[in-house]
Amino acid sequence: MHSQKISEGVYLLRANHWDRRLFDELIPLPEGTTYNSYIIFGSEKTALIDAVDFSKEDELIEALKNMGVEKIDYIVSNHAEQDHSGGINKLLSVYPHAKIVTNSKCKEFLMDLLHIPEERFLVVEDGEELSLGDKTLKFIKMPWVHWPETMITYLVEDGILFTCDLFGAHYATSDVYVYDEMREYLAAKRYYAEIMMPFRQSIKKYLQKVKELNPRIIAPSHGPLHKNPEFILNAYERWVSDEVSNEVLIVFVSMHGSTKKIVDYLADKIAKKGIKVRYYNLTVTDVGDLLMDVVDAATIVIATPTVLTGAHPSIVSAAYLLNLLRPKTKFVAFITSYGWGSRAIEQLKSLMPNIWAEILDEIAVKGYPKEEDFARLDELVEKIYEKHKEQNLIGGD
Ligand code: FEO
């Protein structure tokens, strides 16, 4: 465990999970992840902010012992998900006088998930403050910044905002603060896409609240801390906005080359129109890379071979995931290639009720694409071009 002083009486306790490769058994972690806890020594009370994942609870306890922490008065739980709460039961047994400080919804979840007895909780309301003596914690509820119980905690005197998942990034690092902004930007965008994107509208509302606090440091519970909060706030502002980029994502699988012929043709034609194209063959794609681009892209084209009248299972999975994550995509198009019959496009549309994008076309190609199919694809490219122009994404001819 990496411990580091970040302010007078405030220490980061970070568990790096260097070799974790999957989160929620769903999200690839190419660079591992981190779980950050923080300990704050006030003149009268000691508080720990967020615990770590189950797998790292012993490291946290050992780090606290090494620091000589004999007593913890409060364990602040900003979010009940187990990567931040997993270590709480162990902490409660080692520090038997500690109270868990959280909101009523989070208390309910922690009781359900970890079977923590009710008497161990101290419930706080939105905006409530808790004195540690010469330091004050202020709790700000931000429901639906991942789960309905999420909140953030502000250490008033030090200007440190503990945001748990919000403004985090999944990568293991020994850097306490953001060191390489480009690396952080990509990791934070990937994290936003995978974790935060469905809550875009809530976050849009909360960004203003965060700015009003004007924190000196933003301290999430995943990834490095932000000494320059403006960097991550500006990035989030762009991601949660309604603005899209002049970009088409082509998401496809090809079994015998027909769909590949279609998407290769399409990618080439779209690029020639001055529109950026990203091309995702789902058989070789890290889904996190795709999701990162989904954050901004104006248009997504989904192309699938027909497998026994339906879409290819990898495409079904991607469509289902996109629907869960609710991107701000403005336009979509569906393409399928088939041998004798297909309900693939109908099936994909039924899987994506949360995607409000305008459907530009639905193209079914029988067998290997022929001249009339390419003509139809040309029409789709024209439609995409016109729509991007209407959105002021492309300059005049
Ligand atoms: Fe990092 Fe929603 O847990």
Side-chain angles (χ1 to χ4, degrees):
M1 167 117 358
H2 183 170
S3 63
Q4 170 94 28
K5 181 175 172 179
I6 56 171
S7 191
E8 205 47 53
V10 184
Y11 293 81
L12 161 71
L13 297 166
R14 172 181 294 154
N16 266 308
H17 207 154
W18 298 97
D19 55 358
R20 186 168 179 178
R21 284 293 170 267
L22 206 55
F23 195 80
D24 290 346
E25 300 306 306
L26 172 68
I27 295 165
L29 298 172
E31 298 184 278
T33 190
T34 49
Y35 321 106
N36 298 335
S37 284
Y38 300 90
I39 188 147
I40 305 167
F41 300 104
S43 56
E44 292 170 18
K45 305 279 186 189
T46 298
L48 185 86
I49 309 280
D50 293 331
V52 293
D53 188 73
F54 285 121
S55 59
K56 300 289 179 183
E57 60 184 11
D58 289 337
E59 283 184 37
L60 177 60
I61 302 291
E62 194 186 337
L64 291 167
K65 291 290 172 198
N66 288 342
M67 290 176 86
V69 179
E70 297 295 336
K71 187 167 173 268
I72 292 177
D73 299 284
Y74 305 119
I75 299 167
V76 175
S77 178
N78 283 316
H79 175 28
E81 193 166 8
Q82 292 89 332
D83 52 325
H84 309 290
S85 67
I88 288 182
N89 268 325
K90 188 88 179 245
L91 284 164
L92 289 177
S93 66
V94 176
Y95 297 99
H97 302 292
K99 287 270 185 198
I100 303 168
V101 179
T102 193
N103 61 73
S104 54
K105 180 64 86 182
C106 190
K107 171 187 158 187
E108 177 194 325
F109 290 179
L110 290 171
M111 288 174 70
D112 286 343
L113 296 171
L114 301 174
H115 297 177
I116 298 172
E118 189 158 18
E119 62 269 19
R120 298 304 303 260
F121 288 90
L122 175 65
V123 172
V124 289
E125 301 297 329
D126 183 35
E128 195 171 329
E129 295 188 348
L130 180 67
S131 174
L132 306 179
D134 58 348
K135 291 184 188 287
T136 313
L137 296 176
K138 181 172 181 165
F139 308 102
I140 301 152
K141 278 168 78 173
M142 291 198 173
W144 298 111
V145 176
H146 204 197
W147 285 10
E149 89 299 6
T150 40
M151 69 175 197
I152 63 174
T153 299
Y154 190 48
L155 179 57
V156 178
E157 292 77 5
D158 297 77
I160 304 174
L161 189 60
F162 301 99
T163 55
C164 199
D165 276 347
L166 186 61
F167 309 126
H170 277 316
Y171 62 104
T173 177
S174 55
D175 298 335
V176 172
Y177 295 98
V178 171
Y179 172 72
D180 177 345
E181 286 197 339
M182 185 47 74
R183 181 185 187 205
E184 169 66 20
Y185 182 87
L186 295 175
K189 188 177 185 188
R190 187 180 171 106
Y191 181 90
Y192 168 83
E194 293 164 339
I195 311 283
M196 294 294 164
M197 193 157 58
F199 314 108
R200 187 169 72 91
Q201 298 300 349
S202 316
I203 296 170
K204 203 187 271 191
K205 196 172 64 187
Y206 300 139
L207 275 182
Q208 194 48 40
K209 266 191 175 180
V210 171
K211 280 183 175 173
E212 282 163 15
L213 287 171
N214 194 23
R216 187 171 64 85
I217 295 173
I218 287 181
S221 291
H222 293 293
L225 285 65
H226 298 276
K227 230 181 207 171
N228 172 17
E230 216 182 344
F231 165 77
I232 194 70
L233 292 173
N234 287 345
Y236 262 72
E237 207 150 47
R238 158 81 196 176
W239 300 332
V240 300
S241 75
D242 295 332
E243 280 176 48
V244 288
S245 60
N246 182 28
E247 194 169 351
V248 176
L249 309 184
I250 300 178
V251 181
F252 77 100
V253 168
S254 185
M255 289 159 63
H256 299 292
S258 297
T259 310
K260 184 159 189 329
K261 181 73 185 172
I262 291 165
V263 296
D264 282 349
Y265 182 85
L266 210 52
D268 189 43
K269 290 280 179 172
I270 293 170
K272 282 184 176 140
K273 285 288 201 181
I275 300 171
K276 186 174 169 187
V277 184
R278 299 298 294 262
Y279 178 102
Y280 294 98
N281 178 348
L282 289 187
T283 59
V284 292
T285 295
D286 172 333
V287 75
D289 288 344
L290 163 64
L291 297 177
M292 238 166 86
D293 287 332
V294 166
V295 168
D296 313 289
T299 301
I300 301 177
V301 175
I302 300 179
T304 181
T306 296
V307 183
L308 301 172
T309 75
H312 188 282
S314 298
I315 293 286
V316 168
S317 168
Y320 179 75
L321 187 58
L322 286 173
N323 185 64
L324 286 179
L325 296 177
R326 299 169 181 251
K328 60 184 174 184
T329 317
K330 300 266 188 215
F331 311 106
V332 292
F334 295 100
I335 301 173
T336 190
S337 74
Y338 69 101
W340 55 90
S342 178
R343 296 183 59 233
I345 293 177
E346 201 182 315
Q347 179 196 24
L348 290 174
K349 285 198 298 181
S350 74
L351 285 170
M352 303 176 78
N354 295 335
I355 308 284
W356 294 95
E358 180 183 346
I359 298 175
L360 296 183
D361 214 341
E362 300 171 27
I363 302 175
V365 174
K366 191 166 193 298
Y368 201 68
K370 300 170 282 296
E371 209 173 302
E372 64 260 32
D373 300 314
F374 292 120
R376 187 80 191 274
L377 294 171
D378 288 340
E379 282 173 27
L380 172 58
V381 173
E382 272 315 307
K383 278 184 200 167
I384 292 172
Y385 178 74
E386 288 305 322
K387 290 291 179 184
H388 281 219
K389 236 168 104 170
E390 276 173 25
Q391 294 285 324
N392 295 319
L393 301 175
I394 299 175
D397 290 318

